[in-house]
Amino acid sequence: MDTSGSGFKVLSLIALSGECSTEILPYLGISESYGEKLITKLKEDNYIKTHYRDRLRGYRLTNRSKKLLLATNPDRFLFYLSGNTDTNRPRSDIPRRLRLQQTSIVYAMLLHAGVTVFRDEKPLLFQPGNRTQNNLSLPVFYQSREIKELGAEAIKINNSRTIGILFTGRCIYAVFYTGDSLMKWEYRTELKVKTMIQYHITRGVLSKEHIHPWYHPDTPVKALLIGKDMDTALKLLTSRGGYQKSYFCLDSSFDYFHYLPATPAGEILLKLLCSPKLHSDLRTLLLSDLQPPCPDYGLEHDATQDGIPVLLAFDFDMLRLSRYHTALSLHRLTGHLICFDFQKAVLKQFFGELVTIETIDLEKFEGRFLN
């Protein structure tokens, strides 16, 4: 099999996740018409099989494809295709299968956005005994199972909902997938994730003695939530935690809660969040026609326009948006938001008459900044 072809990409993604969502092909940049032929061919050649149970359908590897992947690149695939693990021997219960399929969507988005994911392309930061200085090729992602190679230290975060950690130039993201509904959320557990990362930045495997480029002790550790679409963002913004406060709500476990949808638009936002320069260039451009913020307003904002406080909302930090909403209501002010066009409808629902909204054309942004 051609290792640069789409078929090998699909097999690699299933290996990473254990069971792949049947909706994964568009995330890999594969068209619907070609994708149908590709899946049919992979099944005919006995490389993949469809696992259907409890009305949930997914793709799994066959023994033939596992042997192919291990023979082609053992450094990349042995970690996933050995032992009694969910990636090598996926279970059949619905919650585990759903998590594997959700993870496959996140992996596909990360790969398509240019994030380093594969094990042979990054240093094994969390492996026991690894204390040499490693060069990080940013942005780079480590899944939760890789982090748990720390051993007893990682037991504290065993119940975390995080899929893994995304390292970028100026911040670190704990990545979560919430689908189209509120995910289970335990404040103390997720706080431990942030605390563990901060500890390792200052004196552990992420300190300047062990990685290059290294992170300053004040590096922000942020939550990045990925959902099915922008409608999910409204559920997250307005959630109070549900029954017995066991579901997600905006709290202080992280200082930032960014949201992006699992769509082509979300992938562009992911590229933006992964690039400090891109983020800075866009901010500079948007602020160039605005006046400085006014400290007398008593609320968080980035600039003013004709005396109105302006908030740059394109990175969709839900915690910041929530604070802005509360402050505008409290001070009886009208605000102004600048966001991407695909974010406008949800922000309009959330803020109502409290704000006016100006949008950035996503297609023009992509043409100017990403091509």
Side-chain angles (χ1 to χ4, degrees):
M1 180 181 288
D2 179 8
T3 56
S4 63
S6 298
F8 197 81
K9 283 184 183 178
V10 173
L11 297 187
S12 299
L13 189 60
I14 301 175
L16 284 176
S17 53
E19 180 176 323
C20 217
S21 167
T22 56
E23 301 175 358
I24 204 65
L25 297 179
Y27 297 101
L28 292 172
I30 300 173
S31 68
E32 183 178 353
S33 57
Y34 175 67
E36 290 179 1
K37 296 176 184 176
L38 177 64
I39 293 298
T40 300
K41 178 66 173 171
L42 290 173
K43 288 180 179 178
E44 288 176 349
D45 292 343
N46 193 30
Y47 283 122
I48 66 171
K49 57 188 176 183
T50 299
H51 185 79
Y52 182 76
R53 185 170 178 175
D54 298 323
R55 293 185 292 181
L56 180 63
R57 192 184 307 272
Y59 300 133
R60 293 184 176 184
L61 297 178
T62 63
N63 287 331
R64 185 186 186 199
S65 57
K66 290 181 182 180
K67 290 177 182 178
L68 171 69
L69 294 174
L70 289 171
T72 304
N73 193 337
D75 290 339
R76 174 173 296 186
F77 295 112
L78 186 61
F79 178 76
Y80 309 101
L81 300 181
S82 61
N84 189 27
T85 61
D86 277 350
T87 49
N88 187 42
R89 296 177 182 174
R91 308 305 193 266
S92 290
D93 56 290
I94 285 289
R96 282 194 173 187
R97 291 185 61 207
L98 277 173
R99 185 163 173 80
L100 295 180
Q101 292 196 19
Q102 291 168 351
T103 302
S104 72
I105 292 173
V106 174
Y107 282 145
M109 291 186 70
L110 291 169
L111 287 167
H112 211 223
V115 178
T116 301
V117 171
F118 290 118
R119 198 163 164 85
D120 60 313
E121 296 177 342
K122 60 190 179 186
L124 306 181
L125 293 182
F126 304 98
Q127 210 169 45
N130 177 35
R131 293 295 181 268
T132 58
Q133 188 169 56
N134 298 284
N135 291 316
L136 282 185
S137 178
L138 301 174
V140 60
F141 179 79
Y142 289 83
Q143 60 148 274
S144 56
R145 190 174 149 224
E146 290 176 305
I147 299 163
K148 289 173 183 176
E149 288 184 299
L150 285 169
E153 187 180 344
I155 291 176
K156 301 173 186 176
I157 63 167
N158 267 353
N159 294 322
S160 170
R161 302 298 298 174
T162 181
I163 289 175
I165 299 174
L166 172 61
F167 297 93
T168 69
R170 292 182 189 166
C171 67
I172 298 172
Y173 296 98
V175 181
F176 302 86
Y177 187 86
T178 188
D180 60 358
S181 59
L182 300 175
M183 62 181 163
K184 287 291 186 79
W185 188 260
E186 168 53 48
Y187 165 78
R188 287 184 294 272
T189 300
E190 305 309 340
L191 178 62
K192 288 175 184 176
V193 174
K194 182 178 75 172
T195 303
M196 185 190 76
I197 295 172
Q198 290 173 330
Y199 167 81
H200 280 287
I201 289 173
T202 56
R203 68 197 76 170
V205 297
L206 305 177
S207 63
K208 62 181 180 181
E209 288 80 14
H210 301 303
I211 62 170
H212 180 81
W214 55 278
Y215 289 102
H216 189 273
D218 294 332
T219 298
V221 179
K222 305 181 178 185
L224 175 60
L225 276 67
I226 301 175
K228 184 177 181 181
D229 49 35
M230 283 307 297
D231 290 339
T232 308
L234 186 62
K235 297 176 184 178
L236 299 173
L237 279 166
T238 56
S239 172
R240 296 294 177 265
Y243 179 65
Q244 294 186 340
K245 304 291 184 181
S246 58
Y247 288 90
F248 176 84
C249 67
L250 292 169
D251 56 30
S252 58
S253 54
F254 293 90
D255 299 321
Y256 307 82
F257 282 89
H258 296 277
Y259 178 86
L260 59 87
T263 63
E267 186 180 298
I268 293 173
L269 182 54
L270 177 60
K271 291 178 182 179
L272 176 63
L273 293 176
C274 286
S275 172
K277 184 180 185 307
L278 194 59
H279 193 280
S280 176
D281 289 348
L282 181 57
R283 277 185 61 89
T284 301
L285 178 64
L286 295 174
L287 293 174
S288 62
D289 294 329
L290 301 172
Q291 292 79 49
C294 178
D296 296 333
Y297 285 163
L299 80 165
E300 184 178 4
H301 60 295
D302 297 299
T304 56
Q305 185 178 53
D306 300 325
I308 297 174
V310 178
L311 191 77
L312 301 183
F314 62 84
D315 62 0
F316 216 91
D317 178 3
M318 295 186 293
L319 201 54
R320 196 167 187 239
L321 290 168
S322 180
R323 290 197 299 265
Y324 190 62
H325 183 285
T326 301
L328 289 176
S329 301
L330 183 64
H331 296 287
R332 297 182 179 179
L333 292 171
T334 297
H336 185 72
L337 295 176
I338 301 179
C339 64
F340 283 113
D341 46 15
F342 73 92
Q343 300 165 332
K344 180 179 179 179
V346 165
L347 290 175
K348 188 63 180 174
Q349 283 182 273
F350 182 60
F351 282 92
E353 300 303 317
L354 287 173
V355 298
T356 55
I357 300 178
E358 180 182 350
T359 61
I360 307 162
D361 187 299
L362 187 69
E363 188 175 340
K364 290 181 179 178
F365 166 79
E366 185 179 16
R368 176 170 179 175
F369 286 92
L370 295 180
N371 293 333

